[in-house]
Amino acid sequence: MANNTWHQKFDSANALLLSIKNAINSSASDVEVASKSMEIRKAFAKFDQELSDLHNALATMGGTAGENARRKGKLSKLQQERALLQESFKARTGITIEKWKNTGKSAKGKGPAEESLETLGMENQQILEHQRNVLDQQDEDADQLYLATQRIKNVGLMIRDELTEQDKLLDTLGAEEDIASGN
């Protein structure tokens, strides 16, 4: 993709993102925005494809390191704006739109790894630290889930014991009622 073509596609994607922003943040009520939800979701899908095309073109085109870094920065800003609009859309309509993911086809082991908003702009060491933190958080969550499950189990056992006692009391009461009524 030629230099001018990349910039034209970027401008097109930027204009599409602006139209999505206007549709979501218009003075219309949440109901009106929800009624336009299919149109907005299609615009998000079109934008996602254009963003993927831009990322893939950037990975294959030449240029100076500075120019490529500047373009990556521009794409990063588009991704961040998209994420904000995605959250705004969800807040107004209750409809969740999938996070953007580069849908480009790259040869196995070649080309850039898929970037997430969480790791955007991080160096390798920072990404490793982020992954360790995520794993630690997942371990903590699993421990908390285990403890909650144990508490629920104990409550269930206590309820079972209480029901057993109540059943015995009802049997005794039923037997005493039979004796009292002469059966």
Side-chain angles (χ1 to χ4, degrees):
M1 179 182 293
N3 194 22
N4 287 339
T5 306
W6 190 92
H7 285 292
Q8 289 170 346
K9 282 189 95 46
F10 177 85
D11 290 342
S12 171
N14 201 25
L16 183 55
L17 197 61
L18 183 61
S19 72
I20 294 170
K21 182 177 185 176
N22 289 338
I24 294 172
N25 296 332
S26 66
S27 60
S29 69
D30 289 351
V31 174
E32 291 174 17
V33 172
S35 71
K36 294 180 183 178
S37 67
M38 185 57 74
E39 178 184 321
I40 294 170
R41 289 164 54 191
K42 285 180 181 178
F44 266 111
K46 183 177 179 186
F47 172 79
D48 290 350
Q49 184 58 53
E50 288 187 14
L51 188 58
S52 291
D53 291 346
L54 286 165
H55 272 282
N56 293 332
L58 184 60
T60 59
M61 66 189 303
T64 66
E67 178 64 16
N68 287 338
R70 190 178 69 74
R71 288 179 182 176
K72 283 180 184 178
K74 290 173 86 171
L75 292 177
S76 172
K77 287 180 183 176
L78 282 182
Q79 286 175 244
Q80 290 169 352
E81 180 69 21
R82 186 218 182 271
L84 292 173
L85 290 175
Q86 172 186 345
E87 290 303 315
S88 179
F89 181 71
K90 182 178 180 182
R92 292 203 69 186
T93 64
I95 299 171
T96 302
I97 295 179
E98 284 188 39
K99 290 182 179 181
W100 175 79
K101 176 168 93 169
N102 192 350
T103 58
K105 310 278 190 267
S106 61
K108 189 174 184 178
K110 295 184 180 177
E114 289 185 14
E115 190 76 61
S116 72
L117 288 176
E118 294 171 343
T119 59
L120 198 59
M122 290 183 178
E123 296 294 326
N124 288 343
Q125 193 61 35
Q126 292 170 312
I127 292 173
L128 287 173
E129 184 63 31
H130 173 72
Q131 289 174 337
R132 284 186 195 108
N133 292 339
V134 167
L135 288 174
D136 289 346
Q137 184 61 47
Q138 288 174 346
D139 286 344
E140 286 178 32
D141 292 346
D143 290 344
Q144 292 298 319
L145 182 60
Y146 173 77
L147 293 174
T149 304
Q150 288 300 102
R151 286 192 298 272
I152 291 170
K153 175 186 173 187
N154 290 335
V155 168
L157 292 173
M158 289 175 21
I159 290 172
R160 183 197 66 189
D161 293 345
E162 182 65 25
L163 287 173
T164 302
E165 285 297 315
Q166 294 289 332
D167 190 42
K168 288 178 185 176
L169 288 173
L170 286 173
D171 287 345
T172 303
L173 184 62
E176 290 176 4
E177 182 184 357
D178 288 344
I179 292 171
S181 66
N183 291 336

